[in-house]
Amino acid sequence: MADLQILGNEEQLQAAVAGRDARFDGWVFLAVTSTGIYCRPSCPAVKPKREHQRFYASAAAAQDAGYRACKRCRPDASPGSPAWDWRSDVCARAMRLIAEGVVDRDGAAGLARRLGYSLRQLERLLIAEVGAGPAALARAQRAQVARTLIENTDLPMGQVAFAAGFASIRAFNRVVADVFACSPTELRAKTRTRPAGGGAISLRLAYREPFEPSNLFGHLAAAAAPGVEEWRDGAYRRTLRLPGGPGIVALQPGPGYIEARLRVADLRDVTAAVARCRRMLDLDADPHAPMEALAADEALAPLVAKTPGRRVPRKADADEYAIRAVIGQQVSTASAATIAARLADTYGEVVDDPDGGLTRLFPEPAALAGADPAHLPMPGSRKRTVLALAAALADGSVELGPGADWPTARAQLAAVPGVGPWTVEMVAMRAMGDPDAFPVKDLGVIKGAEALGLGAGRALEARSQAWRPWRAYAVQYLWASTEHPTNRTPDHTMNETQREKADA
């Protein structure tokens, strides 16, 4: 059993189980020695006696100890631990990379190399932190992806095994039987969901309540670069650059989940695509921690009470957002989206979208680094910054991906000519996922702070110290305190022209 000092106070865990507290789902897993099953703390089943309870910090650790996933509460499908989102230490970076499928593609040794550690060092750190090494964590993730595909698609089992990251059908069958106590065929026979048609994979992405979707989808839709992103039929749709080729995803708020409709060129990219969508919508967040911190401020408390559960809108691709943040310096949201679309038309890879109007991937940094400055529709100083940043991203001197060390990445960004504090903080917040990023000089932050009587500049910076380490969530409430299209989910009954008139 994992060290309870890592998991938290034992009495607190016992109380969470007794109260079926869903806030602990994904943080900790309850295993029952008398049944050999592990559950979420919120599982509705009759709770076992204390002497039969064991706590684990990951599904992988519970599986490694010989426990099977509960068929009632499906603990393997719970939102991931929020710790991997708001921490930047090596374990958090490793967990983010594992979620992206790095172990499936490069092995545990490849993961260690990405992080600059030996495999032995990394295994020791992860076992101490979550009770399982990288191979076991990747195995648990493969099992969860396999179940999702078995239950939500009509793919043949061989393709399911391949897509989930298994090296063989035999390994796939063995792991599914070990984790779920039934064969893949039996698991599919029990499902009640209807698979998506037309080659798409339909998934439900879980999150912790409360959840406020308006600013998430408002930001994504308002800043959508035509051809790369769009709002269509109540869903945010965008192209994805994945390890095995291009993908397209449509994301739509549902009752208690996000409906994701996914198309990928390579089925092995399902894991990476899901991880990026979850990160983009901040779905693994624990909304209660920032809400409690921000509600302690009398100016923010009414806003938190009015719309609890705001998340930080991010981008699926950190490099793309960094370049688009530079493009957006001192221009409107709509203008920045138009420029991004023009760059995609010129330098982006063509994609086929049978369901909508997406046509391109946003260009890779290497493609933009070699661009002719005359073809960049922006002022000369910004051209130089875009080209310098694209070159730094392409050669690895700036690393912003899920395995990036945040303090190092901030320093690398700040060293690029033309990248100032606003850009660094916006990239930290919306690309890297730093929950304490705070663009104090952002116009929307300034307007929101003024509307709430919080001051500006040094006064606002000083006031914000009490909000740490959740200042990125405070930004969402500051932005929402003034009227802007980014603060509301678009009306999907409107056509494009009507939306433009409404936003004007």
Side-chain angles (χ1 to χ4, degrees), residues 113-273:
R113 284 194 298 272
R114 288 276 295 267
L115 295 167
Y117 280 71
S118 71
L119 180 54
R120 175 176 285 188
Q121 286 176 307
L122 183 60
E123 286 180 335
R124 186 170 63 249
L125 289 169
L126 286 173
I127 289 171
E129 184 78 18
V130 297
L137 290 162
R139 175 184 180 271
Q141 179 170 272
R142 285 194 292 271
Q144 199 278 323
V145 172
R147 172 151 80 170
T148 299
L149 295 176
I150 289 169
E151 294 180 338
N152 293 279
T153 75
D154 56 5
L155 291 172
M157 292 302 177
Q159 292 187 29
V160 170
F162 180 69
F166 289 96
S168 69
I169 296 293
R170 180 177 295 179
F172 164 67
N173 288 332
R174 184 181 65 251
V175 170
V176 170
D178 289 347
V179 174
F180 304 118
C182 62
S183 70
T185 303
E186 291 170 334
L187 195 58
R188 175 165 283 174
K190 296 175 183 178
T191 186
R192 297 179 181 178
T193 58
R194 296 185 62 184
I201 297 172
S202 188
L203 309 171
R204 289 183 174 182
L205 308 182
Y207 53 73
R208 293 177 178 84
E209 297 281 7
F211 179 79
E212 172 55 51
S214 60
N215 67 304
L216 276 179
F217 288 93
H219 269 86
L220 294 171
V228 177
E229 307 160 282
E230 67 175 1
W231 181 263
R232 180 183 291 266
D233 298 328
Y236 168 72
R237 305 180 72 249
R238 71 153 295 140
T239 58
L240 299 170
R241 185 181 302 282
L242 299 168
I248 292 175
V249 68
L251 298 166
Q252 186 171 15
Y257 58 86
I258 299 295
E259 182 76 34
R261 187 177 174 90
L262 180 65
R263 292 182 182 273
V264 292
D266 188 330
L267 285 172
R268 291 173 296 184
D269 286 335
V270 169
T271 298

Side-chain angles (χ1 to χ4, degrees), residues 2 27 58 84 128 164 182-184 186 207 225 234 277 284 294 314 397 415 502:
W27 281 99
S58 66
W84 317 135
C182 62
S183 70
E186 291 170 334
Y207 53 73
C277 292
D284 290 321
L294 302 181
R314 303 173 184 162
S397 55

